[in-house]
Every structure is written in structure tokens, then in C-alpha cells.
Amino acid sequence: MNDLTQNNLNYKKYVVDSKLRYFKSHASKIEKTFAEEISSTLGIDSKFITPKFFYDKKGSELFEKICTLPEYYPTRTEIGILKSLRTELPCYLDESFRLVELGSGASVKTRLILDMFTSLQNTTEYFPIDISEILTESSEILLNDYDNLRITGIIDTYEGGLEFLKNYSDKKNLILFLGSSFGNFSPIDGRKLLQTINSTMKPGDLFLIGLDLVKDIRILESAYDDSQGVTAQFNLNVLSRINDELDADFDLNNFSHHSVYNVEHQRIEMYLKSLLRQTVVVSKSNLSMNLEKNELIHTEYSHKYSLDQIRELLEGAGFVINHIWLDEKKYFSLTLVSKV
Ligand SMILES: C[S@@+](CC[C@H](N)C(=O)[O-])C[C@H]1O[C@@H](n2cnc3c(N)ncnc32)[C@H](O)[C@@H]1O
């Protein structure tokens, strides 16, 4: 694909050197989308903020801190499973694969997969896709540690990055989607995203997805309401971001973190609770909103799955399951699929 086509897709290209380049949506487009989405999701009765807006620089740093908390089992459990794949996953790969990652964040777990790739290939092509600028920092850190890596980063939504990938080249892709980030999507939006991933894939491509499993409610609830209050800071930080970027006047002292496991829908639900009756103005969204005392703003779902539901979900989106790997406690899963 040439640069002209990439410009048509509204990306600005940044070439750092022969090993590293980024494509990023134009700043004006990003701000406009943020302002418009906030206007439509906070300007209604059941207020919500989509979780993709958590990840400004501070939000991404706070998420990395969450990953190290004793209560937050998903990260260390998924790392344990990835380590156990050292011999098994390479059997599905060969020297011709590119590594693509949705929501790559700090690219920490990626290293376990990159180790497999670099043992199979002379040069490995890595294609991280993340809405957060953390992507640039993590790519530079990776390049210091891996000599034979070439990185093309897409700073955009999952859907934007997948569209970019579709037009890119016909090399085979292993697409990673770790951390159970998929669980943030509602069932309807999740199905749509899986179909988009499926339609982006070519025969021979692979998709490895990490999904969190249903378990004891106490383990689930403490993972999203830790004793040090880091998850609370992460949740509240989205209001600081709206203040900074959209000229809003949220007073963070007037909100608290609230999270609960919804047994029927098998999901953690995270909210920001208004501690008093208040009016908040978001200037760049042309919005003035009234909040009642105890009114909730929904900020995140984190769905949990049974193995049957994982099979149904992935097969329903047109995938063939190659393998499902679990940890010993059956807390977390990694599923490798191909396109039918
Ligand atoms: C829960 S973190 C997971 C990070 C890492 N993959 C892991 O497993 O630890 C989600 C990552 O996806 C990115 N992200 C969230 N929503 C996104 C979206 N809609 N499109 C692109 N990236 C998104 C965030 O910036 C963040 O880096």
C-alpha cells in the first residue's frame, strides 16, 4: 500500500527510522470525535462514557499499575498461560507471519510472543494498534530489546486499525487481542467486532484472544475495586481527561468509583457515582448536564465467559477453534482460532 492511500485513510505518517513508523489519525479528527461522543453519551438519561476514553497518558499509566496489583489476577494469569505456550504456539506459525496486536498498550505480554517469532524469523514485523499514545513509548522500548524487529504502529481504534490492515499487504497475520479487552464490549458490539476481525483475516491468518472466565464473585469484585484505590483513580481519571481536553468542570471530589458484579449478565459493571446534585458543563461538547445525588455514569463492562460461551461466540463469528488454553485454576483463557 502506498502513502497516498494511507493519506486517504486520514492518517498522518511519522517515520522515526527504518525500524519504526507510526500512522495516526489527524488531531482535529480525534478531538472532534471525542467531543461529539461525549455530547451524545452524557447528554442522555442513562449516561455513559465509552472505556476507550480511559486511555490518555495518565490513564494508560494507571492501567499498567492496575496490572501489578495483587487483586488483579488477569495479567499474571494470562502471562502464565502465554509462558506455557512456548512450545505449542510455534507449531501453528512459520517464518512468514506478521504479528498484529489490538490494544497493545505497554506491549509487555507481547514479548512472550515476540520471543517465539524471533526464534522462527530473521526479521519480525510487529503491527501494534492502540488508541493511546502509549504505543509510541512501548514501541521504542521494544526496539531497544529486539534487534530484528520492524514496527508499524497504528494509533487509532481497533476498527480503524483493522481497516488499515485490510489494505496493507498479503502477508499472513497472527492477530493478538489480550487482557480480555474484548470483554469491554456489549454482546452486540462484541459480535460486530469479531465479525470485523474475521472479515479482515485471510485464509491462513490466526487470531489469539484472551478472555476472562466466570469465577467466585469475591475474586471478581476485588479485582475491580482494589485496596489501594488504583482502579478508583483510573476510573475517575476519565473525568480529568474530559476537563483537560474538552474544557469541562467536573469536580472529582463530587464523584466516587463504584463497581459491582452483575451475575445475570456475567460482567463487572463500573460506574462513577455523583455524590450530590450538581451541574457540569462540557464546553467543547456544547453540553450542560444535571446529575442527581447517587446518579451513576456507566464507564466500563468487563464480561466474563464460560468455555461453552467462548466456543459459541467465536464459532458464531465464523471462526474455527484450534485450541483453548487455560491456567490451572481456570481463571483465564487463551483461544487460538482461524478463519473458516
Ligand atoms: C485493558 S488494556 C490492555 C492492554 C494490554 N493488551 C494488556 O493485555 O495488558 C486495553 C488497551 O487497549 C487500548 N484500547 C482501549 N479501547 C480501544 C479501542 N476502542 N481501540 C483501540 N485501542 C483501544 C487501550 O489504550 C489499552 O492500551
Side-chain angles (χ1 to χ4, degrees), residues 52 55 63 101 103 105 109 130-132 156-158 178-179 181:
K52 67 182 177 196
Y55 300 93
F63 179 74
E101 184 169 12
K109 296 169 199 161
D130 201 295
I131 200 162
S132 166
D156 198 359
T157 58
Y158 304 131
L178 302 178
S181 301

Side-chain angles (χ1 to χ4, degrees), residues 168-275:
Y168 198 67
S169 81
D170 51 9
K171 194 165 177 173
K172 277 193 284 186
N173 295 308
L174 167 63
I175 303 179
L176 291 183
F177 198 11
L178 302 178
S180 207
S181 301
F182 174 79
N184 295 155
F185 286 87
S186 70
I188 292 177
D189 291 342
R191 267 193 292 276
K192 268 193 224 150
L193 181 64
L194 286 179
Q195 280 157 4
T196 305
I197 294 169
N198 186 284
S199 68
T200 306
M201 287 168 64
K202 305 173 296 297
D205 282 0
L206 293 167
F207 174 42
L208 183 68
I209 180 167
L211 293 171
D212 200 7
L213 301 176
V214 173
K215 61 182 70 60
D216 186 313
I217 188 168
R218 286 163 301 182
I219 298 171
L220 288 169
E221 290 199 326
S222 60
Y224 294 83
D225 196 7
D226 63 278
S227 56
Q228 296 173 47
V230 184
T231 315
Q233 281 180 52
F234 172 75
N235 197 8
L236 284 156
N237 179 63
V238 75
L239 299 183
S240 300
R241 179 179 188 187
I242 298 173
N243 282 347
D244 294 346
E245 295 182 28
L246 301 180
D247 290 342
D249 61 358
F250 282 104
D251 180 344
L252 271 59
N253 295 315
N254 294 342
F255 293 87
S256 68
H257 168 67
H258 176 70
S259 82
V260 65
Y261 185 65
N262 181 325
V263 177
E264 186 195 341
H265 293 290
Q266 294 179 205
R267 65 189 181 206
I268 288 283
E269 298 178 353
M270 233 158 75
Y271 299 93
L272 289 161
K273 185 192 275 188
S274 170
L275 298 176

Side-chain angles (χ1 to χ4, degrees), residues 51-56 60 63-64 67 72 75 78 101-110 129-135 154-160 177-181 184-185 193 234 300 332:
K52 67 182 177 196
F53 295 129
F54 277 136
Y55 300 93
D56 63 351
S60 290
F63 179 74
E64 287 314 302
C67 291
Y72 198 74
T75 304
E78 193 177 31
E101 184 169 12
L102 299 171
S104 47
S107 294
V108 172
K109 296 169 199 161
T110 321
I129 297 168
D130 201 295
I131 200 162
S132 166
E133 300 272 343
I134 194 180
L135 185 152
I154 307 299
I155 303 173
D156 198 359
T157 58
Y158 304 131
E159 293 84 353
F177 198 11
L178 302 178
S180 207
S181 301
N184 295 155
F185 286 87
L193 181 64
F234 172 75
E300 188 180 86
F332 204 89

Side-chain angles (χ1 to χ4, degrees), residues 5-17:
T5 322
Q6 279 150 359
N7 286 337
N8 286 345
L9 288 172
N10 286 327
Y11 290 101
K12 195 160 167 24
K13 182 177 178 180
Y14 300 83
V15 179
V16 179
D17 55 34

Side-chain angles (χ1 to χ4, degrees), residues 96-100 117 125 127 168-169 171-174:
S96 64
F97 273 87
R98 174 197 294 123
L99 183 62
V100 176
F117 268 69
E125 207 186 325
F127 203 111
Y168 198 67
S169 81
K171 194 165 177 173
K172 277 193 284 186
N173 295 308
L174 167 63

Side-chain angles (χ1 to χ4, degrees), residues 5 31 167 312:
T5 322
E31 186 184 294
N167 298 313
E312 211 176 292

